[in-house]
Amino acid sequence: MINLKKGEGINLSKAHPNTTRFIADLTWDPSPVATQRVEMEIVCFLLTQQDDGSRKCAADEDFVFYNNLKDPTGSVTHNPDDWQHGDDTLRLDLAKLSQRNPDITEISVIAEIYEGIDRRQDFGHVNHATVKVIDADSKTDIAQFRLTEEDAQFTAVQLGSFVQEGGEWHFKAVGKGYLKGLEAFVIAYGLQVGTPE
């Protein structure tokens, strides 16, 4: 398994040419500094390339989270636990997605502290927050990216992205966080803010 740092990535199509189904698995441990239960989840945004070079969601349904457990093609599904046992997953069938919605060029994967702003909780209240990319068929760990102390102040962090470039899929570790929580990502990806948390 490859340990990724911010800015690093892996070409999944070349490193694992026979694998098109993956799991993005978020794990964490409660921190001793947390005085109340911390709930976390993994969510994602399916993005299309815009004329200005940016990438945004084409529709609300391209935001996959606990109130929308799969995208319109059924290629990306959210498989939540009960948010407190330190394991939350996304399942991705990239071949199916490329066939049914070839306009999707990026799947941005986010970890969120549920109601982090209201509860005054951030990533400093959890330890070892890590996303693993796993072969969904063989259950083999392919790569992992762990957040660092630099991310402690945030309530939502972009863990990484599955990115399609030249017909090949990559996973790139990002580690970009916002103090405004998931709402900031909703806005950045072109959606209207409702009640995402």
Side-chain angles (χ1 to χ4, degrees), residues 4 49 53 56 72 78 96 110 119 127 131 133 138 141 176 191:
L4 299 174
Q49 189 84 19
K56 297 185 183 297
H78 181 218
K96 182 178 179 181
I110 314 295
R119 298 183 182 187
N127 290 332
V131 62
V133 178
S138 68
D141 293 344
K176 179 181 180 181
L191 299 178

Side-chain angles (χ1 to χ4, degrees), residues 138-164:
S138 68
K139 303 300 188 291
T140 303
D141 293 344
I142 294 173
Q144 71 175 9
F145 171 56
R146 177 173 290 183
L147 298 183
T148 67
E149 292 181 358
E150 297 176 359
D151 307 298
Q153 62 181 317
F154 301 123
T155 58
V157 176
Q158 182 184 9
L159 298 168
S161 283
F162 292 86
V163 181
Q164 188 182 51

Side-chain angles (χ1 to χ4, degrees), residues 1-2 4 10 12 16 19 21-26 90 92 94 109 130-136 139-145 160-162 170-173:
M1 180 173 61
I2 299 174
L4 299 174
I10 177 174
L12 298 171
H16 299 269
T19 303
R21 300 199 310 157
F22 299 91
I23 297 171
D25 184 33
L26 172 65
L90 294 168
L92 308 96
L94 298 181
V109 178
T130 303
V131 62
K132 285 185 179 179
V133 178
I134 302 168
D135 182 324
K139 303 300 188 291
T140 303
D141 293 344
I142 294 173
Q144 71 175 9
F145 171 56
S161 283
F162 292 86
H170 305 247
F171 179 79
K172 298 183 178 181

Side-chain angles (χ1 to χ4, degrees), residues 31-77:
S31 170
V33 304
T35 58
Q36 58 180 325
R37 186 179 71 189
V38 179
E39 299 175 350
M40 287 182 61
E41 68 161 346
I42 190 170
V43 307
C44 70
F45 297 84
L46 281 67
L47 309 176
T48 60
Q49 189 84 19
Q50 306 297 303
D51 292 339
D52 62 2
S54 65
R55 290 173 174 171
K56 297 185 183 297
C57 289
D60 291 344
E61 293 76 17
D62 289 332
F63 174 26
V64 177
F65 69 123
Y66 55 85
N67 278 340
N68 180 44
L69 295 179
K70 63 181 179 180
D71 78 298
T73 71
S75 304
V76 180
T77 58

